[in-house]
Amino acid sequence: MSPLTSQLLLQRGRPKTNRLGKIRSLDLSGLKLLSEHLDPNLLGRLKQLQELDLSNNQLEVLPANLGLPHLRVLRCANNQLGDVTTLCQFPRLEELSLEGNPFLTVSDNLKISFLLPNLRKVNGKDAASTCSQVENLNRELSNRVTAYWEKFMAARGPEQEAEKVQTDFVNSAIRDVHYGPESLREFTQWRVRMISEELVSSGGNPTREANILKKPPGAAAASGPRSPPQARLATLKRPHDALLSVSPSKRMSATPSAQGEGGQCALQLEPLHFLQCHSRNNSPRDLETQLWACAFEPPCEEGHAGTTSQTVATCGGEAVCVIDCQTGIVLHKYKSPGEEFFSVAWTTLTVVTQAGHKKRWSVLAAAGLRGLVRLLHVRAGFCCGVIRAHKKAIATLCFSPTHETHLFTASYDKRIILWDIGVPNQDYEFQASQLLTLESASIPLRLCPVASCPDAYLLAGCEGGCCCWDVRLDHPQKKRACEAEFAFSSEGSKTTRHRVDGLAFVNEDVVASKGSSPGTISLWSWRQTWGARGSQSVVSVVILAHLQWSSTELAYFSLSTCPEQGLVLCGDEEGSVWIYDVQHVLKQPLPPAALPQAPTQILKWPQPRALGQLVTKTMVNTVVANAAFTYLTALTDSNIVAIWKRP
């Protein structure tokens, strides 16, 4: 029996009346309603209803025929909605709340803007900027589909049946017409289908509605920058996310020649976007906020391990941004006033809805100065949980490559903690538990699970050197000291232990580390080093090669690797990006007396223009590329996110 009855509607409706047709406002929140409980025959009697609250229920979809022609305000927060297309039945809707529906995505936000032309506010925010974005996308898609139609019809044979041709056109347009970032693919495919079907029904003449969207009332007044509230992710690129320009001459000079610095063939890379999206108070004059870490989103769907991402998360200052590298659009932005973010890391979780459906979530962990880890459900647009991990700042964090819920955090309190963040409950909240505490003699700066045995050992680059811990969970001791320290040979064969501020595996055996010797990056063998350890607590690493790097005495330039391509990447104090192709070293280590290997190429700083002035010099704190090395992202200490593309 449905929990909704005429008597309940009269009790919860306003104004108080004995007739359903006179109710103007109805509160049905917190009743544990399922989609099938929304009876169109009953709700359709609410002919004058203008405001409906369905928050805090268990709705997965809204029925398509509720019959509420005058509805202006709809609240559906904290449900399990996975589709928004049925909202088109409410053409007069002006305010909509969908917060806390974790299966809705950026594409759904765009669909809402397209379907509801009178919408003024979504989740308490002005809808004008999203409407403008949809207008631009719609206009470009309409032009592309129309051009595709002309090309398709010109190539068809006269003997083909018209009906089959039309069906084939719609299917091929959905497959072949692309525009915008991959994260908006669901929306663009949805619109391409609609535009294609309109073209077919009109005989190839695009309707005006296919090209021009109505602006919501008040859209013209909402052109200024707006600051997103604390603990919320704002969607799509904002007016205050400045896109810096690069002159054509600099763009050409930044593209390397076919021959690299080390005599190897250089990789062709060209500067694509330069963004100021971490500005304090959204000021375009902010060229001082330091940006510290970035990470590419992993493939979300199971069985897509070979795919690569063009979505990167960046952090610095009080903001975390998620950027589409292809377009330079800031898809999401999370701000926490008073915080300074130092590190971000992705994981992909499998969650089960109350209806038993499995969903894959991309979750982004972000941490920094305040010792808190924030777990961000990026696609849905909200913070799922906060872990009070350390009393001092968190320098870095990383997820286990084998356990999607296991998270390592490293702090200035000289501790590394392994957490199990679990999967979110029915209220989409995380309940994290502490699994291990690893004690360090100095501040840990970089974390790196051992590639060949990530469940057994963890490496850390620290202020005092490079250390290793046993992290096997089948051992009873939950608080552990360092298992071994690694020493690096310097001139005169003297072994030393210095700060290690760069650390990453190039493959399952070879480690790249930086900081132990000025001006060089070391490549060394984990397998040979650990195999020769015996019972020693201090172990000399087995060096395979040295890579020539900047002679600067400055520290904290983080390196990264691209294992599938055999590449090592690192920025420097001049704004340059050093790229090393080390595949030959992986196959045949250099002799011990060999000179440091020169970089394959160095990408010089392209000097983008900000506020009419050239940014001639900066420091690149970190460089990361996606797995296929199609995009490279560099973060600077002057509030600039630099993105290069490999053609």
Side-chain angles (χ1 to χ4, degrees):
M1 181 178 177
S2 173
L4 295 186
T5 63
S6 298
Q7 183 178 0
L8 179 66
L9 299 189
L10 292 171
Q11 288 176 350
R12 288 186 162 240
R14 295 290 184 276
K16 286 297 183 181
T17 178
N18 59 359
R19 295 177 60 184
L20 294 179
K22 291 188 176 182
I23 294 177
R24 292 181 176 270
S25 176
L26 180 61
D27 182 0
L28 297 179
S29 63
L31 296 178
K32 298 183 179 180
L33 296 176
L34 303 177
S35 298
E36 55 265 32
H37 293 155
L38 301 181
D39 181 6
N41 293 326
L42 177 60
L43 297 177
R45 296 164 61 186
L46 301 167
K47 298 298 183 182
Q48 299 301 317
L49 191 68
Q50 296 186 15
E51 184 174 341
L52 176 61
D53 191 345
L54 293 170
S55 302
N56 302 305
N57 284 297
Q58 299 172 19
L59 305 176
E60 294 190 350
V61 67
L62 290 177
N65 54 345
L66 290 178
L68 303 172
H70 298 287
L71 195 66
R72 296 181 182 275
V73 179
L74 177 61
R75 300 185 182 91
C76 291
N78 302 316
N79 279 281
Q80 300 184 59
L81 295 175
D83 180 68
V84 297
T85 53
T86 57
L87 291 173
C88 65
Q89 66 185 298
F90 309 124
R92 297 188 180 184
L93 205 62
E94 297 178 3
E95 294 186 22
L96 177 65
S97 174
L98 291 172
E99 293 175 305
N101 284 275
F103 305 122
L104 296 182
T105 67
V106 179
S107 288
D108 291 308
N109 292 338
L110 300 184
K111 289 179 184 179
I112 290 167
S113 184
F114 177 81
L115 294 169
L116 301 171
N118 291 314
L119 201 62
R120 294 174 181 270
K121 289 187 177 181
V122 178
N123 299 332
K125 300 174 187 175
D126 197 300
S129 61
T130 304
C131 182
S132 176
Q133 179 77 14
V134 171
E135 285 183 353
N136 295 334
L137 284 170
N138 192 69
R139 186 179 300 109
E140 182 65 27
L141 289 172
S142 297
N143 292 338
R144 293 191 179 208
V145 173
T146 301
Y148 189 81
W149 164 268
E150 294 171 354
K151 180 180 177 181
F152 186 90
M153 296 305 289
R156 74 165 183 155
E159 71 284 354
Q160 292 180 281
E161 296 181 7
E163 185 175 344
K164 185 178 186 305
V165 169
Q166 293 171 351
T167 302
D168 289 346
F169 165 70
V170 173
N171 292 335
S172 60
I174 294 170
R175 182 186 67 243
D176 296 337
V177 177
H178 304 283
Y179 181 68
E182 185 65 26
S183 57
L184 303 184
R185 181 72 173 146
E186 181 188 347
F187 172 78
T188 57
Q189 285 186 326
W190 178 73
R191 280 298 296 137
V192 166
R193 175 181 289 278
M194 295 173 70
I195 297 167
S196 301
E197 291 173 346
E198 289 168 359
L199 271 175
V200 167
S201 64
S202 64
N205 297 313
T207 61
R208 180 172 178 81
E209 287 75 12
N211 293 289
I212 301 175
L213 295 175
K214 297 178 182 177
K215 291 187 178 180
S223 59
R226 299 178 307 285
S227 301
Q230 183 177 2
R232 289 294 307 160
L233 283 162
T235 303
L236 303 178
K237 188 174 180 179
R238 292 152 197 77
H240 51 259
D241 291 330
L243 179 65
L244 309 185
S245 62
V246 183
S247 66
S249 61
K250 286 294 180 183
R251 183 175 293 277
M252 293 302 294
S253 65
T255 303
S257 61
Q259 195 70 19
E261 296 276 336
Q264 298 170 288
C265 290
L267 296 161
Q268 296 297 314
L269 290 160
E270 61 181 28
L272 187 62
H273 303 295
F274 293 83
L275 305 170
Q276 281 179 280
C277 49
H278 292 263
S279 301
R280 292 192 181 277
N281 301 317
N282 303 320
S283 171
R285 299 184 179 277
D286 181 1
L287 292 172
E288 297 179 351
T289 294
Q290 294 177 305
L291 311 183
W292 291 111
C294 58
F296 277 87
E297 181 180 14
C300 189
E301 298 298 327
E302 292 179 324
H304 288 67
T307 61
T308 190
S309 173
Q310 63 184 41
T311 304
V312 67
T314 62
C315 74
E318 60 185 18
V320 174
C321 295
V322 179
I323 303 167
D324 178 78
C325 289
Q326 179 187 10
T327 62
I329 291 175
V330 180
L331 300 172
H332 307 281
K333 195 173 198 176
Y334 175 92
K335 295 183 78 171
S336 179
E339 179 64 278
E340 183 172 1
F341 288 104
F342 296 151
S343 187
V344 288
W346 291 93
T347 190
T348 306
L349 304 180
T350 300
V351 299
V352 180
T353 69
Q354 293 177 345
H357 301 148
K358 288 186 177 180
K359 300 278 187 177
R360 294 287 285 172
W361 278 16
S362 283
V363 173
L364 181 66
L369 184 65
R370 300 171 76 175
L372 306 175
V373 177
R374 291 171 172 83
L375 301 173
L376 312 177
H377 182 355
V378 173
R379 284 173 64 83
F382 64 93
C383 180
C384 298
V386 177
I387 304 172
R388 300 186 180 278
H390 298 268
K391 292 183 179 179
K392 291 188 177 182
I394 295 174
T396 188
L397 45 75
C398 74
F399 279 97
S400 163
T402 54
H403 296 282
E404 60 188 22
T405 64
H406 286 189
L407 174 67
F408 290 98
T409 60
S411 171
Y412 283 77
D413 63 11
K414 301 180 183 179
R415 289 185 176 88
I416 301 168
I417 298 179
L418 173 59
W419 304 86
D420 186 346
I421 66 171
V423 293
N425 58 24
Q426 293 183 354
D427 295 322
Y428 309 107
E429 299 171 336
F430 285 91
Q431 297 294 329
S433 59
Q434 187 172 324
L435 301 179
L436 289 176
T437 299
L438 311 176
E439 300 285 352
S440 175
S442 60
I443 297 171
L445 304 172
R446 307 284 180 251
L447 297 179
C448 192
V450 173
S452 59
C453 47
D455 294 335
Y457 295 105
L458 175 75
L459 296 183
C462 305
E463 285 285 358
C466 184
C467 301
C468 177
W469 285 266
D470 185 332
V471 294
R472 287 174 287 188
L473 294 176
D474 55 357
H475 291 193
Q477 189 175 3
K478 300 305 179 184
K479 191 172 183 179
R480 302 176 189 178
C482 171
E483 189 84 2
E485 296 180 56
F486 297 105
F488 295 80
S489 297
S490 59
E491 294 184 10
S493 70
K494 182 181 178 182
T495 59
T496 58
R497 296 196 297 277
H498 295 297
R499 176 194 299 116
V500 173
D501 56 11
L503 189 69
F505 273 84
V506 186
N507 60 19
E508 286 202 347
D509 175 45
V510 179
V511 186
S513 62
K514 183 182 72 67
S516 55
S517 299
T520 62
I521 294 171
S522 300
L523 298 183
W524 51 281
S525 169
W526 156 262
R527 190 177 296 116
Q528 295 180 53
T529 301
W530 196 248
R533 176 203 170 203
S535 59
Q536 301 175 79
S537 60
V538 178
V539 187
S540 295
V541 300
V542 178
I543 297 290
L544 304 179
H546 289 292
L547 309 179
Q548 177 189 342
W549 183 65
S550 168
S551 59
T552 181
E553 295 183 358
L554 298 174
Y556 311 118
F557 297 98
S558 178
L559 65 78
S560 69
T561 61
C562 197
E564 293 184 16
Q565 312 297 320
L567 299 174
V568 178
L569 313 170
C570 193
D572 72 6
E573 79 286 1
E574 299 289 340
S576 298
V577 175
W578 298 59
I579 303 176
Y580 308 85
D581 185 339
V582 298
Q583 295 183 70
H584 65 290
V585 177
L586 302 180
K587 296 175 183 176
Q588 182 62 49
L590 300 178
L595 294 173
Q597 175 187 324
T600 306
Q601 69 192 99
I602 299 176
L603 297 179
K604 297 296 185 181
W605 180 244
Q607 299 185 13
R609 186 176 294 275
L611 298 174
Q613 307 253 334
L614 290 177
V615 182
T616 58
K617 190 175 179 181
T618 189
M619 289 193 284
V620 172
N621 292 325
T622 189
V623 185
V624 174
N626 62 351
F629 202 71
T630 50
Y631 293 100
L632 180 149
T633 302
L635 303 189
T636 72
D637 72 339
S638 55
N639 188 31
I640 297 175
V641 177
I643 299 173
W644 278 265
K645 182 180 181 180
R646 185 180 178 187

